[in-house]
Amino acid sequence: MAVPLHQKIRVGAYVAKQRLKGVERYPLVLMLEPLFRCNLACAGCGKIDYPDAILNQRLSVEQCLEAVDECGAPVVSIAGGEPLLHREIEQVAEGIVARKKFVYLCTNALLMEKKLDRFKPSLFFVWSVHLDGDKEMHDHSVCEEGVYERAVAAIQTAKAAGFRVNINCTLFDGAKPERVAQFFDDVMASGVDGITVSPGYAYERAPDQAHFLNRRKTKELFRDIFKRGDGAKKWSFSQSSLFLDFLAGNQNYHCTPWGNPTRNYFGWQRPCYLLGEGYAKTFTELMTETDWDAYGTGNYEKCADCMVHSGYEATAVMDAVKHPMKALGVALKGVRTDGAWAEEIPLDRQRPAEYVFSRHVEDAMDRLKHEPVRKAG
């Protein structure tokens, strides 16, 4: 079971509590980015395209834990950048675990073995190692040879030390279903606890814009993959069965951008982890003053092709809590891999894209002229 029962119970109870209280919008996973600096430069990444002055910034341990408390989400995904470049990242993780929040520390694993002894195995802690397929696929994705083998070695070391380890896999246009299915077979055979999978999102600043999937290609790809794994039942995913069903084109979901709020150096990112179109100073400001209806597939041109877990997993989880028998049915029978598609969201009323990224960077650079630089390494 990729998601342990105690985690399902705690997250399910949290969602049920919000529903009983009549809360319309609430977070499920805090996307915490303590820094943007990375030791790789992946072609599909839109998180590292900043001047050095910004890449040198980091959130302090206190700022990270304040964000966790302010947000209140039961799960925290520590992303970046490469979190293990943060000098005090183990203190951040320890503080979150002490709050009995579930921590997924996302890493490319290049520093994982070196820093493993700074962390302790826990029911609330998971290593989430970036692997975008087999050796050839992954090394091509991260634009560097040898990364796959180092990541696999780090996974084995972590498992031997008693840690839970997942892999997070992003798939792009051109991915071969048979190779992806074989890759899933291989990682499960290696003892990995679970798989998080998502189609790539077209970051507007990513160097490679040619290999992102549109929604139709995403659905076709995942149907072709899942049919090779008994409707995805062959593998353990750290995601809801209904989200996997959505990827295969069987659910007509709208994005829930507030379900995975992001906190980074700039503040609380509007509207989501993938789009930076403004920043709030507090979580309350993010939730109450963001025009949520302006975003999402069908509402905004930039969101037209998105089917990413950070936008739709929360929707699927909320649907599973509301309709548990539907979720159980997919889990038991497997994801449907043929037949009619769910009705697609029309795009005829979406507003045109706005390109405001540079303004935020310019504002931050102006602020930094008057602040001391805190190194991120």
Side-chain angles (χ1 to χ4, degrees):
M1 187 181 298
V3 180
L5 182 60
H6 73 281
Q7 183 172 337
K8 289 184 177 181
I9 291 172
R10 290 180 73 96
V11 174
Y14 167 84
V15 173
K17 181 179 179 180
Q18 304 307 312
R19 287 176 53 81
L20 287 172
K21 291 167 61 178
V23 179
E24 180 183 3
R25 297 188 179 104
Y26 51 88
L28 277 178
V29 180
L30 167 61
M31 308 296 287
L32 181 64
E33 296 179 307
L35 78 173
F36 294 123
R37 175 75 70 183
C38 191
N39 47 5
L40 287 175
C42 307
C45 181
K47 290 288 183 176
I48 59 174
D49 184 27
Y50 295 102
D52 279 344
I54 292 176
L55 292 176
N56 285 337
Q57 301 304 304
R58 63 186 174 94
L59 297 181
S60 68
V61 175
E62 293 75 19
Q63 287 174 311
C64 290
L65 298 181
E66 285 173 4
V68 172
D69 294 338
E70 188 180 359
C71 174
V75 180
V76 180
S77 177
I78 305 178
E82 170 50 55
L84 292 182
L85 289 173
H86 193 295
R87 292 191 302 269
E88 301 165 313
I89 195 62
E90 69 276 8
Q91 296 179 37
V92 174
E94 184 179 354
I96 301 172
V97 167
R99 288 161 166 75
K100 295 191 178 339
K101 309 283 188 180
F102 296 96
V103 179
Y104 287 77
L105 199 159
C106 304
T107 177
N108 58 36
L110 293 181
L111 294 171
M112 190 170 157
E113 287 188 277
K114 178 181 179 180
K115 298 194 174 184
L116 195 67
D117 61 359
R118 299 186 185 185
F119 299 84
K120 298 177 182 178
S122 167
L123 291 173
F124 292 91
F125 182 84
V126 181
W127 290 102
S128 181
V129 177
H130 175 207
L131 280 182
D132 288 345
D134 59 31
K135 183 180 185 302
E136 181 182 351
M137 294 168 64
H138 183 65
D139 286 354
H140 175 75
S141 175
V142 302
C143 306
E144 186 170 322
E145 293 292 325
V147 175
Y148 177 87
E149 292 178 343
R150 293 174 66 179
V152 169
I155 289 171
Q156 295 303 315
T157 301
K159 288 297 300 177
F163 287 95
R164 287 184 57 79
V165 182
N166 285 0
I167 64 125
N168 62 77
C169 176
T170 303
L171 299 178
F172 298 90
D173 191 21
K176 304 298 182 185
E178 62 277 8
R179 287 187 66 177
V180 176
Q182 183 61 56
F183 167 66
F184 287 168
D185 287 344
D186 293 343
V187 294
M188 295 308 304
S190 73
V192 163
D193 295 285
I195 299 167
T196 299
V197 67
S198 184
Y201 175 76
Y203 286 106
E204 64 191 70
R205 305 280 290 199
D208 180 4
Q209 291 289 320
H211 294 93
F212 291 108
L213 291 157
N214 61 36
R215 286 172 74 94
R216 182 58 180 247
K217 287 185 176 180
T218 293
K219 297 171 187 179
E220 292 171 345
L221 173 63
F222 279 95
R223 281 197 176 188
D224 284 346
I225 293 169
F226 292 158
K227 72 174 53 174
R228 290 169 166 80
D230 191 21
K233 291 192 298 178
K234 186 178 182 181
W235 309 299
S236 293
F237 290 94
S238 57
Q239 294 161 300
S240 67
S241 61
L242 291 180
F243 175 71
L244 301 179
D245 208 42
F246 164 73
L247 289 179
N250 301 323
Q251 300 292 333
N252 181 16
Y253 286 151
H254 287 267
C255 176
T256 304
W258 57 85
N260 286 41
T262 297
R263 172 68 164 96
N264 56 37
Y265 166 71
F266 297 116
W268 292 92
Q269 183 168 309
R270 288 192 176 105
C272 67
Y273 177 71
L274 302 167
L275 289 181
E277 300 209 340
Y279 295 85
K281 293 181 179 179
T282 67
F283 176 71
T284 298
E285 179 185 328
L286 172 76
M287 295 296 283
T288 60
E289 298 184 18
T290 301
D291 183 6
W292 298 111
D293 292 336
Y295 299 98
T297 302
N299 296 332
Y300 189 35
E301 184 180 1
K302 287 185 182 179
C303 305
D305 287 323
C306 183
M307 294 181 69
V308 179
H309 66 287
S310 59
Y312 289 92
E313 176 70 36
T315 312
V317 169
M318 293 172 190
D319 190 25
V321 173
K322 188 176 181 180
H323 301 105
M325 297 309 295
K326 180 171 76 168
L328 180 61
V330 175
L332 294 177
K333 296 178 182 178
V335 173
R336 180 168 59 84
T337 57
D338 56 18
W341 308 99
E343 184 179 356
E344 186 53 276
I345 299 171
L347 303 178
D348 57 315
R349 295 187 178 181
Q350 66 182 6
R351 66 186 177 93
E354 297 180 46
Y355 297 95
V356 296
F357 178 89
S358 296
R359 186 177 71 239
H360 304 315
V361 175
E362 291 166 4
D363 290 345
M365 291 294 291
D366 186 60
R367 289 197 307 272
L368 284 171
K369 293 178 183 179
H370 309 288
E371 296 177 5
V373 175
R374 291 184 295 183
K375 295 293 183 181

